[in-house]
Amino acid sequence: MSKIYNLYFKILSFFVGLFFVYPFSIYSINNQLDSTQTVLDEIIITATKTERVLSSIPLNVSIIKKNEIEKTNATRLSDVINEELGLITVSDFGGSEGIQMQGLDSEYTLVLIDNQPLIGRSAGTLDLNRISVGNIKQIEIVRGPSSSLYGNNAFAGVINIITEEPKNGLKGNVTSSYETHNTFDNNILFSYKKNNFYSSVFFNNYSSDGYDLNPNDELNTVNNFNTNTLQIKLGQNLGESLKIRINARYYTQLIDNIAPNSLSGETFTSENNINFIISHESEKIKTNFEVYFTSYFGDEFLDDEQGDRFSESFYDHILLKPEIKTVYTINKQKEFVFGLGNEYETLNRTFFEIEPKQNSPYIYFQYDYNPNEKINLILGGRFDKYKEYKSQISPKFSGIYKIKNNESIKISTGYGYKTPDFRQLYFNFSNSTVGYSVIGYNVVENVLNQLIDEGQIANIIIPVEEFEDPLSPESSFGVNIGYDREIDRKISLSTNLFSNSAKNLIDYRVIANKTNGQNVFSYYNVNNVSTFGFDINTKYKADNYFSFSIGYQLLYAYDLDAIKAFENGEVYARLTPTSPAFRLNKKDYFGLYNRSRHMGVFKINYNVLNKNFNANLRLKYRSKYGLYDSNSNNYLDKYDKFVNGHITGNVNINKIINSKLTVSAGIENIFNYLDSENISNLSGRIYFCRIGYNIN
Amino acid sequence: MKTIKFFTISFILLFTFSCEDDNNIGIDTVSITVEDLYAPQEGSQGQSISGPFTKFNFEDGIQTESETNWDIGFRGTSIIVNGGFSLGTDDEPERNGNAAAYIFEGTMEEMQIVDTTLLIQDSESGYAIPTGSGNGWYTYSGSPTFLISPTPGKILVFRTHDNRYAKVEILSYYLGAPENPDAFTDPSRYYTFNYVYQPNEGATTFD
């Protein structure tokens, strides 16, 4: 596999090399560095699956536009997300960075590229570093459960990455950036559009030496890696009303793996997405037929010092999703959306008892109603049919009332769910060094009997009969209430109250003891979680040069069963690790792991338009949070160890030299904040420079 | 208060003056802290474990080599009692006493009266103090710290081999009971624990 990959990479490098030489290469920013006036035509598609003006949407939505991303010189989606209020990236132990949204974990946010879902959550998290932002038109964020349109995984919200559509003529640009740790990010984008045809090719190479925050051990915090993304878009109009489009994306990543005990190897992943779209448009009816295919493949091995294979595992996930969607506009006041589709999914991976295949047909509708110019109501719902677990009905209701032109209130409520993943159902894994076992819910009986036959089970704690009823999907119900106001042309204010109650969250527990003193684990529905709080965001444009934005989020995130355990006096702690234990009460419960109660974002932007110069500073604050239970009582309480509250800051300057050439430079993590024990994705101060060149 | 050093064990005897009680015929309960009782094992987790248990006698408050006059034994994270039957692992001593155990949920102070109906002995299917993280006396943190920590709120209640009672709170599994143990550098399998011993035969209270 890696041979093919190497060859592939060499060809691509050659291709890249034709255009520029590191690091004196060139890059550009297409748009102006800042837009002086408020953009009136911000169109969002994610909220309703129809094109709608952002300010008219009754849901909690936001857009991050291309020029904002360019100003910050972000290269990966994780960089962009990290600077948003109320969103943080959280690293899992494999180094993947996922999104925490409104206090809900990274497994629960659906991530789309051009309206289609990404797969490949091998340990639950979808790694945001997989996504280059080099060809992005905008990032659309919907906060709050959204399964009424998107079904599975839209539990906390949806992030949709919309890539650029070609503009008239032949265009091309190249960007190249170089950072500390020998990190390169290079982009080439060519697009062509004439009459009824368009096409574009985007290539990104992102590589780094990685870094090590703990030189004392033999492991690296982030290993040396190399990733490539190739995206091709084609479109053809067949007459006035018929369009055909194809979006294809190919991604590879190769990581040099270093493991304890002098083991080393490679982790290879690749991802393919192809979306084929036929759309037909008439005055009142627009119909889209799409067939989306995506596959995610991972292969990982470790060799010992002699070169003998120590371990190898693979992960091969496929999703095929045809969908037909019709938008029927009855009149200016009423619009219907109907959709019908099927998701076919298979997974083949190591440590699986079977090779699961799953077909889940679905149907959805949405009614969009404007009784008058001030009010918009949206009612929707979706039905997903499942065999392995309970079929899901996901309703939604939302409404907006425009008090004045510059003032509105809105409310949205919705249901979201996440089905048990294949790992939770079919896993069959025994750890070879420690000796514990993990069994998927649906294969408990088979695998346990196997272990009993082999004499490995000392006693059974949870009887097999408890696994007869299927594992339920995890579900959430969310409410968002927002108030937005543009006080004058200089100041705008946006606030949102949110609350999510999540049920049936899946955790694992001991189901049997093994004769080697270790345990057998399986999954079950247990946790009920509640998150609530508010966001407040203000923007202030001081003059033609300076603009500011400041945001604050308050967040409470609790496990309701934990609260009960504290109330019942079942939780104990020690003042020091070796002092006698005492009983805790409800006040001592801190909440869920990895949640900060307070979060703040502060941004200053300084623009000199006639000099084509821009400088900006962004700060983000997170109050203290706990990553794990350090005092062995299974809960996060005030006697646990916490990660200190901290501020991280990034600063940037951008200068347009001429219509073709732009140069940028900056520093990430300017305060050099480091916590090697707890925060693996902060490596200290990072310096970077970037050059861009427009070819046309 | 006096301190005695004996091999790797040191212990502190605290004589507490107890209230008068029907159950309590004269001799006071004894509070003792045992430090760094070493409980080695051969074979690591996941393999078959062997090696002699470190046997302990509550009345004397010391490690013992006696084959009969012992109450509990330690090997790695496993704790056995001198009562019932062997689980069948290598090098387990013969049970020839009447010891038994159960786990009380609460603080040391709250554990006042032994509920004798809960007492169980070791057997072919498992020890009276269950093994494995979260089942018995400890919690294993796993990645990234890999620490074995005594679960707060777990008091081990024992009947001794000769029908006395003791309550035990384990405090540390690492040498010197460090304030911030590090599983990579601090030697493990060194037990530090507090216990209260009721020396009157059959007396089930500790106050």
Side-chain angles (χ1 to χ4, degrees):
Chain A
M1 179 50 67
S2 68
K3 269 187 190 164
I4 300 167
Y5 172 81
N6 278 335
L7 181 67
Y8 163 76
F9 176 64
K10 275 177 193 158
I11 294 166
L12 283 178
S13 318
F14 176 71
F15 180 65
V16 174
L18 282 180
F19 286 92
F20 54 87
V21 182
Y22 293 129
F24 306 104
S25 45
I26 27 201
Y27 125 7
S28 90
I29 292 177
N30 252 346
N31 298 13
Q32 275 191 315
L33 285 171
D34 197 17
S35 52
T36 38
Q37 65 272 37
T38 318
V39 185
L40 296 170
D41 59 346
E42 285 186 314
I43 299 291
I44 183 166
I45 187 155
T46 316
T48 56
K49 284 199 176 179
T50 56
E51 291 186 355
R52 285 276 304 260
V53 176
L54 180 70
S55 61
S56 74
I57 295 277
L59 288 85
N60 182 358
V61 289
S62 56
I63 292 182
I64 308 168
K65 308 218 34 126
K66 178 188 171 75
N67 62 345
E68 293 170 50
I69 296 169
E70 281 177 336
K71 267 192 306 198
T72 66
N73 288 291
T75 56
R76 312 311 288 179
L77 183 59
S78 47
D79 302 336
V80 180
I81 294 301
N82 246 334
E83 299 199 344
E84 283 302 295
L85 178 67
L87 300 179
I88 51 171
T89 64
V90 289
S91 307
D92 69 11
F93 52 87
S96 294
E97 281 189 84
I99 301 167
Q100 189 186 102
M101 186 188 267
Q102 293 189 338
L104 294 170
D105 265 334
S106 63
E107 300 136 80
Y108 301 113
T109 298
L110 181 68
V111 180
L112 313 171
I113 291 188
D114 291 323
N115 311 316
Q116 293 292 0
L118 288 181
I119 59 168
R121 298 165 180 256
S122 52
T125 300
L126 197 131
D127 188 8
L128 299 178
N129 288 314
R130 254 162 65 185
I131 300 152
S132 162
V133 298
N135 65 332
I136 285 182
K137 182 182 158 216
Q138 64 187 29
I139 298 168
E140 304 182 356
I141 301 166
V142 179
R143 292 171 169 92
S146 306
S147 291
S148 65
L149 280 178
Y150 294 97
N152 191 13
N153 281 332
F155 183 102
V158 181
I159 294 198
N160 192 358
I161 292 118
I162 308 289
T163 61
E164 282 198 272
E165 292 279 310
K167 299 188 179 76
N168 273 327
L170 176 67
K171 312 246 185 230
N173 68 66
V174 179
T175 69
S176 179
S177 70
Y178 176 70
E179 284 178 20
T180 309
H181 307 311
N182 256 341
T183 304
F184 288 97
D185 187 85
N186 298 299
N187 299 289
I188 304 170
L189 175 62
F190 280 105
S191 69
Y192 175 74
K193 183 177 180 184
K194 198 179 177 190
N195 302 333
N196 291 325
F197 174 78
Y198 73 71
S199 69
S200 70
V201 180
F202 169 73
F203 175 71
N204 169 268
N205 172 254
Y206 174 56
S207 66
S208 174
D209 287 352
Y211 55 87
D212 191 9
L213 296 174
N214 289 308
N216 297 332
D217 61 17
E218 46 187 326
L219 307 179
N220 293 327
T221 309
V222 172
N223 284 316
N224 178 329
F225 65 84
N226 193 329
T227 76
N228 291 297
T229 308
L230 179 68
Q231 186 169 14
I232 294 171
K233 292 179 125 180
L234 293 169
Q236 174 75 51
N237 290 356
L238 303 169
E240 284 285 289
S241 54
L242 199 62
K243 271 188 213 167
I244 295 178
R245 281 173 288 162
I246 295 170
N247 295 339
R249 181 172 172 273
Y250 179 61
Y251 167 85
T252 64
Q253 180 186 56
L254 186 67
I255 303 174
D256 287 341
N257 239 336
I258 297 167
N261 305 321
S262 303
L263 297 170
S264 66
E266 285 178 353
T267 301
F268 174 80
T269 49
S270 74
E271 183 194 327
N272 275 295
N273 311 315
I274 298 171
N275 195 23
F276 178 76
I277 308 152
I278 302 178
S279 52
H280 182 270
E281 216 169 286
S282 67
E283 198 189 325
K284 290 199 160 174
I285 296 178
K286 290 180 195 165
T287 301
N288 253 29
F289 175 67
E290 304 186 29
V291 179
Y292 177 64
F293 170 83
T294 179
S295 68
Y296 178 87
F297 176 78
D299 181 65
E300 185 170 76
F301 68 84
L302 287 172
D303 287 347
D304 61 21
E305 272 176 301
Q306 283 74 41
D308 294 327
R309 189 65 29 113
F310 172 78
S311 69
E312 182 159 17
S313 62
F314 67 91
Y315 183 95
D316 193 356
H317 191 181
I318 285 172
L319 168 70
L320 177 68
K321 175 173 162 267
E323 177 178 310
I324 185 160
K325 179 187 85 184
T326 296
V327 182
Y328 176 43
T329 311
I330 300 165
N331 54 38
K332 274 193 171 172
Q333 283 159 352
K334 293 172 190 161
E335 185 182 85
F336 275 104
V337 180
F338 295 101
L340 185 67
N342 183 54
E343 289 183 3
Y344 173 73
E345 230 177 322
T346 68
L347 178 62
N348 182 10
R349 69 172 282 188
T350 15
F351 314 123
F352 256 44
E353 188 61 8
I354 62 161
E355 191 183 322
K357 290 184 171 60
Q358 182 172 286
N359 249 320
S360 32
Y362 61 87
I363 183 165
Y364 62 84
F365 85 98
Q366 178 178 271
Y367 177 53
D368 193 331
Y369 179 50
N370 296 294
N372 58 46
E373 282 185 353
K374 293 195 158 188
I375 296 176
N376 174 238
L377 301 171
I378 294 176
L379 182 70
R382 171 165 160 149
F383 175 73
D384 287 82
K385 187 166 165 40
Y386 293 108
K387 257 196 229 126
E388 302 285 340
Y389 23 75
K390 204 174 160 210
S391 296
Q392 295 290 302
I393 296 170
S394 315
K396 151 174 107 177
F397 172 77
S398 51
I400 185 168
Y401 175 65
K402 284 206 170 209
I403 302 163
K404 287 182 202 137
N405 239 347
N406 58 355
E407 195 177 9
S408 62
I409 49 169
K410 54 193 181 182
I411 179 164
S412 70
T413 60
Y415 177 83
Y417 71 91
K418 177 180 180 296
T419 57
D421 64 32
F422 286 144
R423 182 179 41 120
Q424 289 160 340
L425 298 178
Y426 305 111
F427 213 30
N428 177 7
F429 174 74
S430 287
N431 181 295
S432 56
T433 48
V434 182
Y436 64 87
S437 298
V438 186
I439 310 180
Y441 188 94
N442 287 11
V443 294
V444 162
E445 193 173 349
N446 280 350
V447 178
L448 208 56
N449 284 337
Q450 233 167 285
L451 292 173
I452 291 169
D453 289 345
E454 291 163 12
Q456 292 198 46
I457 300 298
N459 50 72
I460 288 176
I461 291 170
I462 309 292
V464 193
E465 294 79 57
E466 289 211 13
F467 296 87
E468 274 169 10
D469 291 331
L471 198 59
S472 294
E474 302 170 284
S475 65
S476 65
F477 180 74
V479 180
N480 279 271
I481 300 170
Y483 171 75
D484 295 285
R485 186 171 169 202
E486 217 168 286
I487 294 164
D488 54 36
R489 284 187 60 86
K490 287 186 166 178
I491 304 176
S492 65
L493 171 78
S494 155
T495 59
N496 183 59
L497 282 168
F498 63 87
S499 146
N500 291 295
S501 38
K503 271 200 316 201
N504 283 331
L505 298 189
I506 295 169
D507 203 348
Y508 57 82
R509 62 176 162 178
V510 176
I511 62 163
N513 301 138
K514 291 175 84 171
T515 48
N516 65 6
Q518 295 297 319
N519 295 321
V520 179
F521 299 90
S522 186
Y523 299 92
Y524 71 134
N525 291 111
V526 59
N527 292 325
N528 296 313
V529 157
S530 169
T531 73
F532 53 93
F534 68 83
D535 295 333
I536 179 161
N537 236 324
T538 60
K539 286 181 182 164
Y540 174 60
K541 198 167 157 35
D543 53 34
N544 277 335
Y545 299 102
F546 278 103
S547 57
F548 302 88
S549 78
I550 185 161
Y552 168 77
Q553 185 188 68
L554 176 72
L555 170 68
Y556 292 92
Y558 295 127
D559 181 325
L560 300 179
D561 302 308
I563 292 179
K564 262 185 225 148
F566 277 84
E567 277 175 350
N568 295 343
E570 294 162 8
V571 188
Y572 303 86
R574 306 174 196 278
L575 269 181
T576 70
T578 53
S579 63
F582 56 90
R583 178 174 275 122
L584 297 179
N585 63 42
K586 195 181 155 190
K587 282 202 307 270
D588 299 320
Y589 177 50
F590 188 82
L592 299 181
Y593 300 109
N594 210 344
R595 268 67 170 189
S596 294
R597 184 129 314 144
H598 310 281
M599 198 187 304
V601 175
F602 177 67
K603 296 179 183 175
I604 308 178
N605 194 36
Y606 174 70
N607 253 341
V608 191
L609 272 181
N610 55 7
K611 296 245 165 66
N612 283 324
F613 178 79
N614 166 274
N616 56 75
L617 167 75
R618 295 100 58 205
L619 303 176
K620 189 159 190 175
Y621 169 73
R622 264 192 91 171
S623 66
K624 74 167 185 178
Y625 56 98
L627 278 181
Y628 54 90
D629 167 39
S630 61
N631 57 8
S632 307
N633 59 12
N634 285 323
Y635 298 100
L636 186 63
D637 58 78
K638 69 180 189 188
Y639 299 98
D640 272 305
K641 283 181 197 156
F642 285 87
V643 180
N644 293 331
H646 60 270
I647 295 178
T648 50
N650 302 324
V651 64
N652 252 80
I653 50 171
N654 302 293
K655 169 84 180 161
I656 301 176
I657 309 284
N658 58 40
S659 67
K660 290 188 185 274
L661 190 64
T662 306
V663 291
S664 309
I667 305 168
E668 286 171 28
N669 193 5
I670 44 174
F671 308 122
N672 199 23
Y673 189 80
L674 276 177
D675 182 345
S676 60
E677 201 183 320
N678 299 308
I679 308 174
S680 62
N681 58 355
L682 278 181
S683 73
R685 217 172 266 133
I686 288 179
Y687 301 90
F688 70 89
C689 58
R690 184 160 167 154
I691 301 176
Y693 188 72
N694 270 342
I695 289 164
N696 50 310
Chain B
M1 194 178 88
K2 59 179 179 172
T3 307
I4 306 164
K5 290 223 167 192
F6 183 80
F7 297 117
T8 57
I9 317 162
S10 65
F11 51 89
I12 304 153
L13 295 173
L14 286 167
F15 293 89
T16 54
F17 299 93
S18 59
C19 324
E20 287 301 313
D21 193 288
D22 295 344
N23 235 337
N24 205 336
I25 328 141
I27 317 173
D28 294 326
T29 57
V30 188
S31 289
I32 293 178
T33 299
V34 175
E35 292 173 5
D36 295 332
L37 178 68
Y38 186 39
Q41 71 176 39
E42 284 153 36
S44 64
Q45 303 283 26
Q47 299 163 338
S48 71
I49 295 166
S50 60
F53 280 76
T54 300
K55 287 174 281 186
F56 186 82
N57 179 299
F58 284 116
E59 187 181 4
D60 303 333
I62 52 169
Q63 183 178 347
T64 174
E65 296 301 319
S66 163
E67 281 174 17
T68 52
N69 193 24
W70 61 280
D71 299 315
I72 60 174
F74 300 85
R75 184 173 70 188
T77 58
S78 300
I79 298 176
I80 58 171
V81 296
N82 186 7
F85 299 94
S86 164
L87 180 63
T89 69
D90 293 341
D91 305 321
E92 273 193 45
E94 187 202 337
R95 314 299 201 273
N96 44 34
N98 195 32
Y102 73 94
I103 296 178
F104 171 81
E105 306 260 341
T107 65
M108 197 70 163
E109 277 176 13
E110 289 167 350
M111 173 58 226
Q112 286 301 337
I113 301 171
V114 178
D115 183 347
T116 52
T117 62
L118 298 175
L119 288 165
I120 53 170
Q121 296 189 315
D122 290 349
S123 72
E124 293 93 335
S125 64
Y127 297 136
I129 303 292
T131 56
S133 172
N135 303 331
W137 65 271
Y138 72 92
T139 308
Y140 173 62
S141 69
S143 174
T145 58
F146 305 102
L147 281 169
I148 302 257
S149 315
T151 311
K154 302 267 187 187
I155 305 299
L156 311 185
V157 180
F158 293 103
R159 184 170 69 209
T160 65
H161 75 287
D162 55 354
N163 298 312
R164 270 79 172 172
Y165 292 96
K167 59 176 180 179
V168 174
E169 183 176 29
I170 298 176
L171 300 175
S172 177
Y173 189 63
Y174 296 92
L175 182 63
E179 285 294 287
N180 290 301
D182 181 334
F184 298 100
T185 55
D186 289 315
S188 64
R189 299 170 184 157
Y190 289 87
Y191 282 85
T192 293
F193 57 91
N194 278 333
Y195 77 88
V196 176
Y197 176 65
Q198 168 55 275
N200 299 294
E201 186 168 1
T204 55
T205 61
F206 290 103
D207 49 20

